[in-house]
Amino acid sequence: MLYFSRWKTISIWAIVALGLLFALPNALPQSWLSAMPDWMPKRQMTLGLDLQGGSHILLQIERQDLADERLEATRDDIRSLLRDARIGYTGLTGAGSSVQVRIRDAGQLEAAKTALAPLLQPIASSLFGGGSVTELDLDEPEPGVLRYTLTDEGINYRLGAALTQSIEVVGRRVNELGTTEPIIQRQGNDRILVQVPGLQDPQRLKDILGQTAKLTFQMVDQTMPVQEAIEGRPPAGSSVLYSTDDPPVPYLIENRVIVSGENLVDAQASFDQRTSEPVVSFRFDTKGAQRFGQATQQNVGKLFAIILDNQVISAPQIREPILGGTGQISGSFSVEGANDLAVLLRAGALPANLTIVEERTVGPGLGQDSIDAGKVASIIGAILVVVFMVVAYGLLGVIANIALVANIAMIIAILSVLGATLTLPGIAGIVLTIGMAVDSNVLIYERIREERRNGRSIIQAIDTGFSKALATIVDANVTTLIAAAVLFYLGTGPVKGFAVTLAIGIVTTVFTAFTFTRWLVAEWVRRRKPKELPQGLITLVPPGTTIPFMGMRRYTFLLSSVLSVVSIVLFMSFGMNYGVDFKGGSLIEVQSRDGAADLADIRARLSQLNIGDVQVQQFGEPNDVLIRVGAQEGGDNAEQTVVTKVRDELQEAYDFRRVETVGPTVSSELATQGTIGVIVALGLVLIYVWFRFEWQFAVGAILATIHDIVITIGFFVISGIEFNQSSIAAILTIVGYSLNDTVVVYDRIREELRKYKKMPLPQLLNAAINETLARTTTTSLTTILALLALFLFGGEVIRSFTAAMLFGIVFGTYSSIFIAAPLLILFKLRPDALDKEDKDTPVEGKAVAT
């Protein structure tokens, strides 16, 4: 394995050079990139919203609202069609998803069915594979009664059409704000995901997205005083609507619409030439201009109202006919308010109300702080790992570090080329990769040392070390890759970014270990012709270590059983400190503009807002405060109201650095997804390990991993660390790491089973664990060093995430030795378990007892 042809050498170095070349733009300032030649790559990694600031908003169309609107339209259609056909009816009512009407004259029943036949006409649909859709079904629950029921496919058709139109409208509104590279995409059957990076004013975005923007021009009913209509009953065909003023002014408005926003062709913010106040100038199309001109010509001297989403913006008097198809809307606007209204009118009205069910907003200041903290943590973590590898392996450690630099460069290059988004947990993925990347090299180096101690020559030891480590490294990394794949498929936002980074890191790690590292070692051997392997300054596990691990299994089983039971009892009794991801509510991080924050004052001010349970605590620096507001009983819209109230109360003295709002709908989904994610990951790993080993190995690996999960949950309960969506990522990473460690031990046990078929199982397990102990401790230490740097220097936002991973990795290492291996004795694994797959494997001599 140490021979490399010229084309292989060129290929390996070409890949490494391309990795360095495509990663380079991320280390250069933008001014330098613009001055570089055109053939040079200039694309940088896309930073997530948590790093560059911006807003992530998930909007949902309410299915029931569309159904109610369709039922209302059906009632109107029935009324109109029967009147046109001069058919008497009564009892036109709607309930649930149906509308029914009673035909007075039984002899006209067939005529009524004929008149109402257009309601049952199928609609051509380009959605859901094309074809036609029938919106209503007809049945007769009793003689003379016709009942029309909305079909599921009809509602789905309306929902799909409304979602498609809403995406277009939302896209126009967001693009009108002048933001760079917004993401607007469909999510599921009834949701729209809006991500706007670098947004300075997220509240403005929410205000614009939250309005349906149905504009109408209607006449003011002046036949009776509005107060009389409020106290009594409005005239038929009129309704009382209120203005946007504070306090609101009531108006009696005729229901008849003169012109609607559909007839607008343009709207622009401008200034009134007489008062210099901001206004919105508009222009109608030909049809709208004709209707508006006719209405104003017939109603000179009367008032007409400009209504937006059932609120009166203004109600001016018609002084003269407006025949040009143009006009202006005034209403005590600010310049920004006039601009926003113009944006809404130009973009068009939404076909249905959109509810914000999830919001994650990060201010640009916090994003930059996160970038700086991530850089510092990554650099410190890398330095710790690099120094340790040199101290532990000497020249081989230097080679591993060169491969590590190439590995990180390739990760960054792939992220840049793919346009993948780097998030704050993604930085954690890179730091974790730094720690785990040396695992493959450690496996190889320890195997080389072992082969050398067994009497092989330098070249034979190196060649055999790489060959025998290959299967172990592939098995160990595939299990982690499974966890990353599940995270990517079920995760959202930052969690998905973490999964992408981790998966790319696994692939590049395997590549560098078996190509680049091997080439460097081969080149060193060819040029220097060494007589002995380089030695490090320290040895964590001396050669020939014979710790009787299996003799401790009763005590470790007892310890793990007690800890697991305690964890379950604590979880059932007290539960975890669930974040807004899983129980709904709002999390708001603010920073005092002047000195330390006054927590007591914030609590007192927020307690007067009547927003339920509020927790206020210091978060990091003395001027940083974290505010948690419990889930609201009013649903998703009520969650947004809370954020608005808190912002209005505190914005004069505090900067809003981060806002996370999760409604009850999304929180329940995230909880379900998290549980499913862990179960799916365990199931896939069970299948893989069963396929690669024996059933005892598969079940043992899963039980050891479940042990780690249970203990980690107990850690969350005892520590009080908030359990959120990132915590699921931490648990799945622990699953991957624990399985990685377990598979390395199991792979050596499988190898020993093939060699020593007569050796008692406890003795064989001791030998396998002691032989892999140096690798286990070295890998754990390097990973812990990298994560420790992230925990200490990575910033407050990611500290709980890193703390859980640190704890889980310590117990993952413990379980691979003291739980996974002894379980094979409990399952009565037979020494000849692998005979079927290894009939031709020669049996070597008996090993020295350990």
Side-chain angles (χ1 to χ4, degrees), residues 28 62 91 217 268 285 303 329 345 358 404 428 436 448 451 475 547 592 721-722 746 753 786:
L28 300 177
E62 294 300 330
F217 294 81
Q268 298 290 338
D285 59 16
L303 302 178
I329 303 171
L345 298 182
E358 181 184 11
L404 179 62
M436 294 181 63
I448 291 172
E451 296 298 328
D475 283 334
I547 301 173
S592 172
I721 290 175
E722 183 180 286
Y746 275 180
L753 282 169

mmCIF file with all atom_site columns, all heavy atoms in Angstrom, residues 28 62 91 217 268 285 303 329 345 358 404 428 436 448 451 475 547 592 721-722 746 753 786:
data_model
loop_
_atom_site.group_PDB
_atom_site.id
_atom_site.type_symbol
_atom_site.label_atom_id
_atom_site.label_alt_id
_atom_site.label_comp_id
_atom_site.label_asym_id
_atom_site.label_entity_id
_atom_site.label_seq_id
_atom_site.pdbx_PDB_ins_code
_atom_site.Cartn_x
_atom_site.Cartn_y
_atom_site.Cartn_z
_atom_site.occupancy
_atom_site.B_iso_or_equiv
_atom_site.pdbx_formal_charge
_atom_site.auth_seq_id
_atom_site.auth_comp_id
_atom_site.auth_asym_id
_atom_site.auth_atom_id
_atom_site.pdbx_PDB_model_num
ATOM 1   N N   . LEU A 1 28  ? -9.325  35.799  2.771   1.00 0.00 ? 28  LEU A N   1
ATOM 2   C CA  . LEU A 1 28  ? -8.918  37.086  2.203   1.00 0.00 ? 28  LEU A CA  1
ATOM 3   C C   . LEU A 1 28  ? -10.037 38.110  2.327   1.00 0.00 ? 28  LEU A C   1
ATOM 4   O O   . LEU A 1 28  ? -11.217 37.758  2.233   1.00 0.00 ? 28  LEU A O   1
ATOM 5   C CB  . LEU A 1 28  ? -8.542  36.917  0.722   1.00 0.00 ? 28  LEU A CB  1
ATOM 6   C CG  . LEU A 1 28  ? -7.393  35.950  0.413   1.00 0.00 ? 28  LEU A CG  1
ATOM 7   C CD1 . LEU A 1 28  ? -7.202  35.840  -1.089  1.00 0.00 ? 28  LEU A CD1 1
ATOM 8   C CD2 . LEU A 1 28  ? -6.109  36.413  1.092   1.00 0.00 ? 28  LEU A CD2 1
ATOM 9   N N   . GLU A 1 62  ? -53.560 29.040  7.062   1.00 0.00 ? 62  GLU A N   1
ATOM 10  C CA  . GLU A 1 62  ? -54.494 28.268  7.868   1.00 0.00 ? 62  GLU A CA  1
ATOM 11  C C   . GLU A 1 62  ? -55.493 27.562  6.957   1.00 0.00 ? 62  GLU A C   1
ATOM 12  O O   . GLU A 1 62  ? -56.291 28.194  6.253   1.00 0.00 ? 62  GLU A O   1
ATOM 13  C CB  . GLU A 1 62  ? -55.225 29.174  8.861   1.00 0.00 ? 62  GLU A CB  1
ATOM 14  C CG  . GLU A 1 62  ? -54.323 29.775  9.918   1.00 0.00 ? 62  GLU A CG  1
ATOM 15  C CD  . GLU A 1 62  ? -53.623 28.723  10.759  1.00 0.00 ? 62  GLU A CD  1
ATOM 16  O OE1 . GLU A 1 62  ? -54.192 27.618  10.954  1.00 0.00 ? 62  GLU A OE1 1
ATOM 17  O OE2 . GLU A 1 62  ? -52.492 28.976  11.200  1.00 0.00 ? 62  GLU A OE2 1
ATOM 18  N N   . GLY A 1 91  ? -83.700 28.042  4.946   1.00 0.00 ? 91  GLY A N   1
ATOM 19  C CA  . GLY A 1 91  ? -82.730 27.269  5.736   1.00 0.00 ? 91  GLY A CA  1
ATOM 20  C C   . GLY A 1 91  ? -81.364 27.151  5.091   1.00 0.00 ? 91  GLY A C   1
ATOM 21  O O   . GLY A 1 91  ? -80.728 26.091  5.168   1.00 0.00 ? 91  GLY A O   1
ATOM 22  N N   . PHE A 1 217 ? -61.658 50.393  -2.131  1.00 0.00 ? 217 PHE A N   1
ATOM 23  C CA  . PHE A 1 217 ? -62.196 51.758  -2.089  1.00 0.00 ? 217 PHE A CA  1
ATOM 24  C C   . PHE A 1 217 ? -63.715 51.624  -1.978  1.00 0.00 ? 217 PHE A C   1
ATOM 25  O O   . PHE A 1 217 ? -64.354 51.054  -2.875  1.00 0.00 ? 217 PHE A O   1
ATOM 26  C CB  . PHE A 1 217 ? -61.812 52.523  -3.353  1.00 0.00 ? 217 PHE A CB  1
ATOM 27  C CG  . PHE A 1 217 ? -60.345 52.767  -3.490  1.00 0.00 ? 217 PHE A CG  1
ATOM 28  C CD1 . PHE A 1 217 ? -59.497 51.782  -3.970  1.00 0.00 ? 217 PHE A CD1 1
ATOM 29  C CD2 . PHE A 1 217 ? -59.792 53.989  -3.135  1.00 0.00 ? 217 PHE A CD2 1
ATOM 30  C CE1 . PHE A 1 217 ? -58.130 51.999  -4.095  1.00 0.00 ? 217 PHE A CE1 1
ATOM 31  C CE2 . PHE A 1 217 ? -58.428 54.227  -3.263  1.00 0.00 ? 217 PHE A CE2 1
ATOM 32  C CZ  . PHE A 1 217 ? -57.601 53.225  -3.738  1.00 0.00 ? 217 PHE A CZ  1
ATOM 33  N N   . GLN A 1 268 ? -46.475 54.383  -5.337  1.00 0.00 ? 268 GLN A N   1
ATOM 34  C CA  . GLN A 1 268 ? -45.169 54.923  -4.973  1.00 0.00 ? 268 GLN A CA  1
ATOM 35  C C   . GLN A 1 268 ? -45.322 55.878  -3.792  1.00 0.00 ? 268 GLN A C   1
ATOM 36  O O   . GLN A 1 268 ? -46.327 56.586  -3.682  1.00 0.00 ? 268 GLN A O   1
ATOM 37  C CB  . GLN A 1 268 ? -44.545 55.699  -6.147  1.00 0.00 ? 268 GLN A CB  1
ATOM 38  C CG  . GLN A 1 268 ? -44.267 54.866  -7.383  1.00 0.00 ? 268 GLN A CG  1
ATOM 39  C CD  . GLN A 1 268 ? -43.134 53.884  -7.205  1.00 0.00 ? 268 GLN A CD  1
ATOM 40  O OE1 . GLN A 1 268 ? -42.283 54.075  -6.325  1.00 0.00 ? 268 GLN A OE1 1
ATOM 41  N NE2 . GLN A 1 268 ? -43.111 52.840  -8.019  1.00 0.00 ? 268 GLN A NE2 1
ATOM 42  N N   . ASP A 1 285 ? -55.544 50.673  -13.416 1.00 0.00 ? 285 ASP A N   1
ATOM 43  C CA  . ASP A 1 285 ? -55.608 50.243  -14.810 1.00 0.00 ? 285 ASP A CA  1
ATOM 44  C C   . ASP A 1 285 ? -56.858 50.862  -15.453 1.00 0.00 ? 285 ASP A C   1
ATOM 45  O O   . ASP A 1 285 ? -57.609 51.597  -14.799 1.00 0.00 ? 285 ASP A O   1
ATOM 46  C CB  . ASP A 1 285 ? -55.612 48.717  -14.914 1.00 0.00 ? 285 ASP A CB  1
ATOM 47  C CG  . ASP A 1 285 ? -56.778 48.062  -14.167 1.00 0.00 ? 285 ASP A CG  1
ATOM 48  O OD1 . ASP A 1 285 ? -57.752 48.777  -13.824 1.00 0.00 ? 285 ASP A OD1 1
ATOM 49  O OD2 . ASP A 1 285 ? -56.729 46.845  -13.920 1.00 0.00 ? 285 ASP A OD2 1
ATOM 50  N N   . LEU A 1 303 ? -68.186 61.306  1.243   1.00 0.00 ? 303 LEU A N   1
ATOM 51  C CA  . LEU A 1 303 ? -66.929 60.726  1.715   1.00 0.00 ? 303 LEU A CA  1
ATOM 52  C C   . LEU A 1 303 ? -66.746 59.319  1.120   1.00 0.00 ? 303 LEU A C   1
ATOM 53  O O   . LEU A 1 303 ? -67.707 58.563  1.016   1.00 0.00 ? 303 LEU A O   1
ATOM 54  C CB  . LEU A 1 303 ? -66.911 60.627  3.243   1.00 0.00 ? 303 LEU A CB  1
ATOM 55  C CG  . LEU A 1 303 ? -67.097 61.922  4.044   1.00 0.00 ? 303 LEU A CG  1
ATOM 56  C CD1 . LEU A 1 303 ? -67.107 61.613  5.539   1.00 0.00 ? 303 LEU A CD1 1
ATOM 57  C CD2 . LEU A 1 303 ? -65.999 62.917  3.723   1.00 0.00 ? 303 LEU A CD2 1
ATOM 58  N N   . ILE A 1 329 ? -53.045 58.431  -1.307  1.00 0.00 ? 329 ILE A N   1
ATOM 59  C CA  . ILE A 1 329 ? -53.548 57.984  -0.005  1.00 0.00 ? 329 ILE A CA  1
ATOM 60  C C   . ILE A 1 329 ? -52.757 58.717  1.063   1.00 0.00 ? 329 ILE A C   1
ATOM 61  O O   . ILE A 1 329 ? -51.522 58.637  1.099   1.00 0.00 ? 329 ILE A O   1
ATOM 62  C CB  . ILE A 1 329 ? -53.376 56.462  0.169   1.00 0.00 ? 329 ILE A CB  1
ATOM 63  C CG1 . ILE A 1 329 ? -54.074 55.703  -0.968  1.00 0.00 ? 329 ILE A CG1 1
ATOM 64  C CG2 . ILE A 1 329 ? -53.908 56.000  1.519   1.00 0.00 ? 329 ILE A CG2 1
ATOM 65  C CD1 . ILE A 1 329 ? -53.770 54.218  -0.983  1.00 0.00 ? 329 ILE A CD1 1
ATOM 66  N N   . LEU A 1 345 ? -48.797 47.407  -1.704  1.00 0.00 ? 345 LEU A N   1
ATOM 67  C CA  . LEU A 1 345 ? -49.749 47.590  -2.792  1.00 0.00 ? 345 LEU A CA  1
ATOM 68  C C   . LEU A 1 345 ? -49.158 47.147  -4.131  1.00 0.00 ? 345 LEU A C   1
ATOM 69  O O   . LEU A 1 345 ? -49.863 46.566  -4.963  1.00 0.00 ? 345 LEU A O   1
ATOM 70  C CB  . LEU A 1 345 ? -50.194 49.057  -2.858  1.00 0.00 ? 345 LEU A CB  1
ATOM 71  C CG  . LEU A 1 345 ? -50.927 49.585  -1.607  1.00 0.00 ? 345 LEU A CG  1
ATOM 72  C CD1 . LEU A 1 345 ? -51.358 51.020  -1.829  1.00 0.00 ? 345 LEU A CD1 1
ATOM 73  C CD2 . LEU A 1 345 ? -52.109 48.704  -1.252  1.00 0.00 ? 345 LEU A CD2 1
ATOM 74  N N   . GLU A 1 358 ? -43.064 30.428  13.370  1.00 0.00 ? 358 GLU A N   1
ATOM 75  C CA  . GLU A 1 358 ? -41.703 30.304  13.910  1.00 0.00 ? 358 GLU A CA  1
ATOM 76  C C   . GLU A 1 358 ? -40.888 31.503  13.454  1.00 0.00 ? 358 GLU A C   1
ATOM 77  O O   . GLU A 1 358 ? -40.970 31.907  12.293  1.00 0.00 ? 358 GLU A O   1
ATOM 78  C CB  . GLU A 1 358 ? -41.040 29.007  13.431  1.00 0.00 ? 358 GLU A CB  1
ATOM 79  C CG  . GLU A 1 358 ? -39.631 28.796  13.964  1.00 0.00 ? 358 GLU A CG  1
ATOM 80  C CD  . GLU A 1 358 ? -38.967 27.553  13.394  1.00 0.00 ? 358 GLU A CD  1
ATOM 81  O OE1 . GLU A 1 358 ? -39.511 26.971  12.430  1.00 0.00 ? 358 GLU A OE1 1
ATOM 82  O OE2 . GLU A 1 358 ? -37.905 27.174  13.891  1.00 0.00 ? 358 GLU A OE2 1
ATOM 83  N N   . LEU A 1 404 ? -4.230  17.279  8.604   1.00 0.00 ? 404 LEU A N   1
ATOM 84  C CA  . LEU A 1 404 ? -5.346  17.980  9.247   1.00 0.00 ? 404 LEU A CA  1
ATOM 85  C C   . LEU A 1 404 ? -5.602  19.330  8.578   1.00 0.00 ? 404 LEU A C   1
ATOM 86  O O   . LEU A 1 404 ? -6.758  19.711  8.347   1.00 0.00 ? 404 LEU A O   1
ATOM 87  C CB  . LEU A 1 404 ? -5.045  18.169  10.736  1.00 0.00 ? 404 LEU A CB  1
ATOM 88  C CG  . LEU A 1 404 ? -6.092  18.904  11.568  1.00 0.00 ? 404 LEU A CG  1
ATOM 89  C CD1 . LEU A 1 404 ? -7.409  18.138  11.569  1.00 0.00 ? 404 LEU A CD1 1
ATOM 90  C CD2 . LEU A 1 404 ? -5.598  19.110  12.998  1.00 0.00 ? 404 LEU A CD2 1
ATOM 91  N N   . ALA A 1 428 ? -19.114 24.375  15.204  1.00 0.00 ? 428 ALA A N   1
ATOM 92  C CA  . ALA A 1 428 ? -18.907 23.281  16.165  1.00 0.00 ? 428 ALA A CA  1
ATOM 93  C C   . ALA A 1 428 ? -18.582 21.989  15.432  1.00 0.00 ? 428 ALA A C   1
ATOM 94  O O   . ALA A 1 428 ? -17.769 21.185  15.891  1.00 0.00 ? 428 ALA A O   1
ATOM 95  C CB  . ALA A 1 428 ? -20.161 23.103  17.025  1.00 0.00 ? 428 ALA A CB  1
ATOM 96  N N   . MET A 1 436 ? -11.809 14.851  15.802  1.00 0.00 ? 436 MET A N   1
ATOM 97  C CA  . MET A 1 436 ? -12.020 13.483  15.329  1.00 0.00 ? 436 MET A CA  1
ATOM 98  C C   . MET A 1 436 ? -11.157 13.134  14.116  1.00 0.00 ? 436 MET A C   1
ATOM 99  O O   . MET A 1 436 ? -10.950 11.959  13.816  1.00 0.00 ? 436 MET A O   1
ATOM 100 C CB  . MET A 1 436 ? -13.494 13.272  14.985  1.00 0.00 ? 436 MET A CB  1
ATOM 101 C CG  . MET A 1 436 ? -14.410 13.341  16.192  1.00 0.00 ? 436 MET A CG  1
ATOM 102 S SD  . MET A 1 436 ? -16.151 13.067  15.775  1.00 0.00 ? 436 MET A SD  1
ATOM 103 C CE  . MET A 1 436 ? -16.097 11.382  15.158  1.00 0.00 ? 436 MET A CE  1
ATOM 104 N N   . ILE A 1 448 ? 0.378   0.649   13.381  1.00 0.00 ? 448 ILE A N   1
ATOM 105 C CA  . ILE A 1 448 ? 1.754   0.530   12.898  1.00 0.00 ? 448 ILE A CA  1
ATOM 106 C C   . ILE A 1 448 ? 2.694   0.188   14.054  1.00 0.00 ? 448 ILE A C   1
ATOM 107 O O   . ILE A 1 448 ? 3.550   -0.702  13.943  1.00 0.00 ? 448 ILE A O   1
ATOM 108 C CB  . ILE A 1 448 ? 2.182   1.840   12.201  1.00 0.00 ? 448 ILE A CB  1
ATOM 109 C CG1 . ILE A 1 448 ? 1.413   2.025   10.892  1.00 0.00 ? 448 ILE A CG1 1
ATOM 110 C CG2 . ILE A 1 448 ? 3.689   1.845   11.939  1.00 0.00 ? 448 ILE A CG2 1
ATOM 111 C CD1 . ILE A 1 448 ? 1.634   3.381   10.240  1.00 0.00 ? 448 ILE A CD1 1
ATOM 112 N N   . GLU A 1 451 ? 2.209   -3.455  15.049  1.00 0.00 ? 451 GLU A N   1
ATOM 113 C CA  . GLU A 1 451 ? 2.825   -4.388  14.113  1.00 0.00 ? 451 GLU A CA  1
ATOM 114 C C   . GLU A 1 451 ? 4.348   -4.380  14.259  1.00 0.00 ? 451 GLU A C   1
ATOM 115 O O   . GLU A 1 451 ? 5.008   -5.415  14.135  1.00 0.00 ? 451 GLU A O   1
ATOM 116 C CB  . GLU A 1 451 ? 2.434   -4.028  12.678  1.00 0.00 ? 451 GLU A CB  1
ATOM 117 C CG  . GLU A 1 451 ? 0.943   -4.143  12.373  1.00 0.00 ? 451 GLU A CG  1
ATOM 118 C CD  . GLU A 1 451 ? 0.428   -5.557  12.530  1.00 0.00 ? 451 GLU A CD  1
ATOM 119 O OE1 . GLU A 1 451 ? 1.206   -6.509  12.275  1.00 0.00 ? 451 GLU A OE1 1
ATOM 120 O OE2 . GLU A 1 451 ? -0.752  -5.729  12.912  1.00 0.00 ? 451 GLU A OE2 1
ATOM 121 N N   . ASP A 1 475 ? -15.861 1.435   8.974   1.00 0.00 ? 475 ASP A N   1
ATOM 122 C CA  . ASP A 1 475 ? -16.991 1.072   9.835   1.00 0.00 ? 475 ASP A CA  1
ATOM 123 C C   . ASP A 1 475 ? -17.277 2.164   10.855  1.00 0.00 ? 475 ASP A C   1
ATOM 124 O O   . ASP A 1 475 ? -18.436 2.538   11.076  1.00 0.00 ? 475 ASP A O   1
ATOM 125 C CB  . ASP A 1 475 ? -16.690 -0.240  10.574  1.00 0.00 ? 475 ASP A CB  1
ATOM 126 C CG  . ASP A 1 475 ? -16.860 -1.465  9.685   1.00 0.00 ? 475 ASP A CG  1
ATOM 127 O OD1 . ASP A 1 475 ? -17.639 -1.374  8.717   1.00 0.00 ? 475 ASP A OD1 1
ATOM 128 O OD2 . ASP A 1 475 ? -16.221 -2.492  9.957   1.00 0.00 ? 475 ASP A OD2 1
ATOM 129 N N   . ILE A 1 547 ? -4.928  -4.259  31.610  1.00 0.00 ? 547 ILE A N   1
ATOM 130 C CA  . ILE A 1 547 ? -5.943  -3.917  32.612  1.00 0.00 ? 547 ILE A CA  1
ATOM 131 C C   . ILE A 1 547 ? -7.067  -4.950  32.526  1.00 0.00 ? 547 ILE A C   1
ATOM 132 O O   . ILE A 1 547 ? -7.615  -5.187  31.437  1.00 0.00 ? 547 ILE A O   1
ATOM 133 C CB  . ILE A 1 547 ? -6.493  -2.509  32.367  1.00 0.00 ? 547 ILE A CB  1
ATOM 134 C CG1 . ILE A 1 547 ? -5.364  -1.479  32.429  1.00 0.00 ? 547 ILE A CG1 1
ATOM 135 C CG2 . ILE A 1 547 ? -7.587  -2.165  33.378  1.00 0.00 ? 547 ILE A CG2 1
ATOM 136 C CD1 . ILE A 1 547 ? -5.776  -0.080  32.039  1.00 0.00 ? 547 ILE A CD1 1
ATOM 137 N N   . SER A 1 592 ? -27.844 45.834  27.029  1.00 0.00 ? 592 SER A N   1
ATOM 138 C CA  . SER A 1 592 ? -27.989 47.201  27.509  1.00 0.00 ? 592 SER A CA  1
ATOM 139 C C   . SER A 1 592 ? -27.049 48.133  26.746  1.00 0.00 ? 592 SER A C   1
ATOM 140 O O   . SER A 1 592 ? -25.891 47.801  26.492  1.00 0.00 ? 592 SER A O   1
ATOM 141 C CB  . SER A 1 592 ? -27.675 47.260  29.003  1.00 0.00 ? 592 SER A CB  1
ATOM 142 O OG  . SER A 1 592 ? -27.630 48.590  29.446  1.00 0.00 ? 592 SER A OG  1
ATOM 143 N N   . ILE A 1 721 ? -29.377 22.655  32.008  1.00 0.00 ? 721 ILE A N   1
ATOM 144 C CA  . ILE A 1 721 ? -29.075 23.239  30.703  1.00 0.00 ? 721 ILE A CA  1
ATOM 145 C C   . ILE A 1 721 ? -30.322 23.157  29.830  1.00 0.00 ? 721 ILE A C   1
ATOM 146 O O   . ILE A 1 721 ? -31.028 22.155  29.815  1.00 0.00 ? 721 ILE A O   1
ATOM 147 C CB  . ILE A 1 721 ? -27.899 22.492  30.032  1.00 0.00 ? 721 ILE A CB  1
ATOM 148 C CG1 . ILE A 1 721 ? -26.599 22.786  30.777  1.00 0.00 ? 721 ILE A CG1 1
ATOM 149 C CG2 . ILE A 1 721 ? -27.767 22.867  28.560  1.00 0.00 ? 721 ILE A CG2 1
ATOM 150 C CD1 . ILE A 1 721 ? -25.416 22.008  30.264  1.00 0.00 ? 721 ILE A CD1 1
ATOM 151 N N   . GLU A 1 722 ? -30.574 24.230  29.108  1.00 0.00 ? 722 GLU A N   1
ATOM 152 C CA  . GLU A 1 722 ? -31.761 24.260  28.254  1.00 0.00 ? 722 GLU A CA  1
ATOM 153 C C   . GLU A 1 722 ? -31.679 23.191  27.171  1.00 0.00 ? 722 GLU A C   1
ATOM 154 O O   . GLU A 1 722 ? -30.670 23.043  26.491  1.00 0.00 ? 722 GLU A O   1
ATOM 155 C CB  . GLU A 1 722 ? -31.902 25.641  27.607  1.00 0.00 ? 722 GLU A CB  1
ATOM 156 C CG  . GLU A 1 722 ? -33.155 25.771  26.751  1.00 0.00 ? 722 GLU A CG  1
ATOM 157 C CD  . GLU A 1 722 ? -33.288 27.142  26.122  1.00 0.00 ? 722 GLU A CD  1
ATOM 158 O OE1 . GLU A 1 722 ? -33.628 28.091  26.860  1.00 0.00 ? 722 GLU A OE1 1
ATOM 159 O OE2 . GLU A 1 722 ? -33.029 27.267  24.911  1.00 0.00 ? 722 GLU A OE2 1
ATOM 160 N N   . TYR A 1 746 ? -15.133 -3.247  18.755  1.00 0.00 ? 746 TYR A N   1
ATOM 161 C CA  . TYR A 1 746 ? -15.755 -4.459  18.203  1.00 0.00 ? 746 TYR A CA  1
ATOM 162 C C   . TYR A 1 746 ? -14.955 -5.011  17.023  1.00 0.00 ? 746 TYR A C   1
ATOM 163 O O   . TYR A 1 746 ? -14.861 -6.223  16.824  1.00 0.00 ? 746 TYR A O   1
ATOM 164 C CB  . TYR A 1 746 ? -17.177 -4.153  17.754  1.00 0.00 ? 746 TYR A CB  1
ATOM 165 C CG  . TYR A 1 746 ? -18.211 -4.232  18.859  1.00 0.00 ? 746 TYR A CG  1
ATOM 166 C CD1 . TYR A 1 746 ? -19.553 -3.983  18.592  1.00 0.00 ? 746 TYR A CD1 1
ATOM 167 C CD2 . TYR A 1 746 ? -17.859 -4.579  20.157  1.00 0.00 ? 746 TYR A CD2 1
ATOM 168 C CE1 . TYR A 1 746 ? -20.515 -4.055  19.584  1.00 0.00 ? 746 TYR A CE1 1
ATOM 169 C CE2 . TYR A 1 746 ? -18.794 -4.652  21.164  1.00 0.00 ? 746 TYR A CE2 1
ATOM 170 C CZ  . TYR A 1 746 ? -20.133 -4.381  20.869  1.00 0.00 ? 746 TYR A CZ  1
ATOM 171 O OH  . TYR A 1 746 ? -21.074 -4.462  21.862  1.00 0.00 ? 746 TYR A OH  1
ATOM 172 N N   . LEU A 1 753 ? -11.340 -12.815 17.504  1.00 0.00 ? 753 LEU A N   1
ATOM 173 C CA  . LEU A 1 753 ? -12.155 -14.034 17.420  1.00 0.00 ? 753 LEU A CA  1
ATOM 174 C C   . LEU A 1 753 ? -11.724 -14.915 16.253  1.00 0.00 ? 753 LEU A C   1
ATOM 175 O O   . LEU A 1 753 ? -11.767 -16.151 16.330  1.00 0.00 ? 753 LEU A O   1
ATOM 176 C CB  . LEU A 1 753 ? -13.637 -13.672 17.264  1.00 0.00 ? 753 LEU A CB  1
ATOM 177 C CG  . LEU A 1 753 ? -14.373 -13.222 18.530  1.00 0.00 ? 753 LEU A CG  1
ATOM 178 C CD1 . LEU A 1 753 ? -15.741 -12.655 18.171  1.00 0.00 ? 753 LEU A CD1 1
ATOM 179 C CD2 . LEU A 1 753 ? -14.523 -14.386 19.505  1.00 0.00 ? 753 LEU A CD2 1
ATOM 180 N N   . ALA A 1 786 ? -10.489 19.833  21.620  1.00 0.00 ? 786 ALA A N   1
ATOM 181 C CA  . ALA A 1 786 ? -11.131 20.694  20.631  1.00 0.00 ? 786 ALA A CA  1
ATOM 182 C C   . ALA A 1 786 ? -12.451 21.248  21.169  1.00 0.00 ? 786 ALA A C   1
ATOM 183 O O   . ALA A 1 786 ? -12.752 22.442  21.025  1.00 0.00 ? 786 ALA A O   1
ATOM 184 C CB  . ALA A 1 786 ? -11.366 19.919  19.345  1.00 0.00 ? 786 ALA A CB  1
#
